Amino acid sequence: MSMTRFPIRLAALPLVLALGACAFAPSGKPPAVAQPAQYGVEPAPATGALAQGVAQRFEPGARPVPEWWKRYRSDALDALVEEGLANSPDLAAAERNLAGAREQLRGQVNSSLLPSVDAGADASRRRALTMPNLPEPTARYNVFTGQIQARYDLDLFGAARFANLSLAAQVAQQAFRLESARRSLAGNIVTGAIASAALAERVALTEKQAVLARQVARDTQRRYELGAASQNDALDADQDAATLEASLPGLRARWHATRHALAVLLGRNPDQAPPDLAFGALAVPEQVPVAVPSELLASRPDILLADAVVQAAAADVGTATAQLFPSLSLSASMGQAGFNWATAMSGAGSIWAIGASLTQPIFHGGALLAERNAAKERYEASLLQYKQTVLTAFRDVADTLSRLDAGGQALASAEASRRAAEQSYRNTASRVRLGALPPYTEYAAEQHYVAARLREIDYADARLTETAALFQAMGSPVRAPQEAAQR
């Protein structure tokens, strides 16, 4: 009785395993990551320091801003970003690669769900051996064949389905990479335009500072010749002027390199770099979103990319597991054949075949099990990489918030220093005009004012740049198509 039931149970085993194919692979859901109560060791302030008439407000729980660069309120900056997004060869190439990957996915899904049908025709002349006792030891004849063949592989254990899921997740990865590249390009254009405008101001002020230093050096030399200053004073003044003059070529080179890089980001040749923006006309965004950690997980392309990697690795485990079980293929063909055209085209030349092929792996030297174990290890690695990506994103936000808060405070102090230096320079200039002070003191006072203005520009540049970095760190509503993982 038991021997009778054994074949029945064995025949029902493939059906049971097919129904449980969904358990062949992990769920593919990203692991839970503990979310911080606040991003940094200290909570982000509600309002930043008041500097240059703006105290930035950090909005907890606000949603990320897609086109965040428009908050700088500069039409020229908006035009640069739009030009770069439209003309970047890198973005265009990435979009083409993504379109090709989607077509590849569509082809693989259709080929796994539908049978393949092929038509073929063959005409040949052959020479074959006959019986040795016949007068002619060989025979020559023609063969004409035309037929249609169909084949369908039944996905009993989900191997094709898991392969489709894996490829769909890989396509989603490319989509998230494209979105990340698009966001990075916009951020690089904004920071490049800000840096170029700031460098243009630095070059102009440093040139003025060098002129003033050279004037001080000449005046000190005259005073030395008249006995009103020491030789060391004259040498120190000349050294200060020479040091400033020596810094100018490198500063101009940095400025030019920044403009060249910006031109390439826009899809232009370096000699067609756009004119610099007016640094003073750039308005720092007053409101900056600070998304909650759960929102951050759904808005940053790098985290979504890591999620797609987990999904692909889980599907690969399912594919490797399904390879351990039988595969069933159905095939059929029909057509006409004969040794001459008349026979091939008549009813006597009809041919057909139908069959089924069942293959069960038995021994592959442990290769199939090793592939499955390797897929499981890659899946576990993808979970750990996802966690690391999330932690890195949290740190990115925390560091940017800290730098932006500190930069605002430093800018406020630098602004106060510049105002004091400016007032001191004006007072000194007035006293020089009244004859209460010698002329060289005015040059020295103006030097201090220009130096204070340079420090203020440095901190203003940092606040503008760090604000862009925070917008980038917050992510944005990702435009990468979710349906790529569902096709």
Side-chain angles (χ1 to χ4, degrees):
M1 186 66 174
S2 61
M3 294 299 293
T4 305
R5 291 178 178 175
F6 180 75
I8 299 177
R9 293 176 179 176
L10 184 62
L13 180 61
L15 179 59
V16 175
L17 292 175
L19 294 175
C22 59
F24 280 19
S27 65
K29 295 181 179 179
V33 180
Q35 298 181 13
Q38 58 191 33
Y39 284 107
V41 293
E42 295 181 358
T47 305
L50 177 63
Q52 295 184 336
V54 176
Q56 289 185 304
R57 295 191 300 274
F58 303 102
E59 301 177 305
R63 294 183 59 82
V65 181
E67 297 179 333
W68 53 265
W69 52 87
K70 293 185 177 180
R71 292 203 173 185
Y72 285 86
R73 301 194 300 276
S74 171
D75 294 338
L77 182 61
D78 296 345
L80 291 179
V81 175
E82 291 174 3
E83 179 182 348
L85 295 178
N87 298 334
S88 171
D90 285 340
L91 279 187
E95 289 172 352
R96 293 287 186 176
N97 289 333
L98 177 59
R102 286 172 175 161
E103 291 299 324
Q104 182 181 1
L105 173 62
R106 184 178 293 108
Q108 177 171 306
V109 171
N110 290 340
S111 66
S112 64
L113 296 178
L114 302 174
S116 60
V117 180
D118 301 293
D122 179 73
S124 62
R125 181 167 179 77
R126 304 181 183 183
R127 180 178 183 272
L129 296 177
T130 61
M131 298 298 293
N133 55 350
L134 295 178
E136 291 291 335
T138 59
R140 296 179 179 85
Y141 58 93
N142 301 323
V143 176
F144 301 95
T145 306
Q147 61 180 344
I148 296 178
Q149 299 175 334
R151 179 184 176 88
Y152 181 64
D153 297 324
L154 276 71
D155 192 24
L156 293 179
F157 301 97
R161 181 171 64 87
F162 286 124
N164 293 340
L165 290 175
S166 177
L167 185 57
Q170 294 174 38
V171 173
Q173 292 173 37
Q174 291 197 33
F176 293 132
R177 289 192 183 97
L178 172 60
E179 183 64 21
S180 180
R182 182 181 288 111
R183 288 173 44 78
S184 296
L185 176 61
N188 290 337
I189 291 173
V190 171
T191 56
I194 293 171
S196 183
L199 281 169
E201 289 286 322
R202 290 191 186 102
V203 168
L205 289 173
T206 305
E207 288 174 345
K208 185 174 183 179
Q209 200 174 29
V211 171
L212 292 171
R214 182 53 61 189
Q215 185 63 43
V216 169
R218 284 196 293 267
D219 288 351
T220 307
Q221 179 64 29
R222 292 193 193 99
R223 292 170 58 219
Y224 164 66
E225 293 171 354
L226 295 174
S230 67
Q231 185 181 26
N232 285 341
D233 291 339
L235 292 175
D236 289 343
D238 187 67
Q239 181 183 5
D240 292 341
T243 300
L244 284 170
E245 291 166 351
S247 68
L248 275 171
L251 188 60
R252 291 193 188 100
R254 283 178 53 201
W255 177 35
H256 295 161
T258 303
R259 295 191 65 195
H260 297 161
L262 181 59
V264 172
L265 290 175
L266 300 178
R268 304 183 186 183
N269 289 325
D271 61 338
Q272 298 174 344
D276 287 310
L277 304 177
F279 186 76
L282 290 173
V284 64
E286 298 181 8
Q287 297 179 340
V288 183
V290 181
V292 296
S294 59
E295 180 74 22
L296 195 72
L297 300 183
S299 61
R300 283 186 55 125
D302 55 343
I303 297 179
L304 296 173
L305 171 61
D307 186 359
V309 171
V310 172
Q311 297 177 29
D316 289 339
V317 174
T319 301
T321 304
Q323 299 296 333
L324 299 172
F325 293 89
S327 60
L328 177 62
S329 299
L330 304 179
S331 62
S333 64
M334 60 178 297
Q336 298 288 125
F339 296 108
N340 52 61
W341 280 111
T343 304
M345 301 302 295
S346 66
S350 298
I351 58 174
W352 60 269
I354 187 170
S357 173
L358 180 66
T359 303
Q360 167 63 56
I362 296 178
F363 179 74
H364 287 256
L368 297 180
L369 287 175
E371 290 176 4
R372 181 175 182 270
N373 292 335
K376 292 171 66 177
E377 294 297 332
R378 288 193 295 269
Y379 171 72
E380 294 296 332
S382 69
L383 296 179
L384 297 174
Q385 291 170 356
Y386 177 86
K387 292 181 179 180
Q388 185 61 51
T389 301
V390 172
L391 293 175
T392 302
F394 290 161
R395 187 196 67 185
D396 184 20
V397 175
D399 291 347
T400 307
L401 281 170
S402 179
R403 288 195 303 267
L404 187 55
D405 182 35
Q409 297 177 28
L411 177 58
S413 299
E415 182 185 16
S417 175
R418 187 264 305 164
R419 287 177 177 173
E422 183 179 11
Q423 187 60 45
S424 176
Y425 160 62
R426 289 177 178 175
N427 293 341
T428 302
S430 297
R431 298 178 68 187
V432 168
R433 286 193 296 271
L434 295 173
L437 291 174
Y440 69 87
T441 58
E442 181 179 354
Y443 299 137
E446 189 174 5
Q447 272 189 299
H448 290 305
Y449 163 64
V450 173
R453 176 60 182 151
L454 281 169
R455 288 192 296 271
E456 184 183 18
I457 288 176
D458 288 341
Y459 289 116
D461 178 18
R463 184 164 74 155
L464 289 167
T465 302
E466 291 299 338
T467 301
L470 184 58
F471 276 115
Q472 287 284 81
M474 287 295 108
S476 67
V478 180
R479 294 188 297 171
Q482 300 292 341
E483 62 269 15
Q486 302 172 359
R487 293 180 181 176

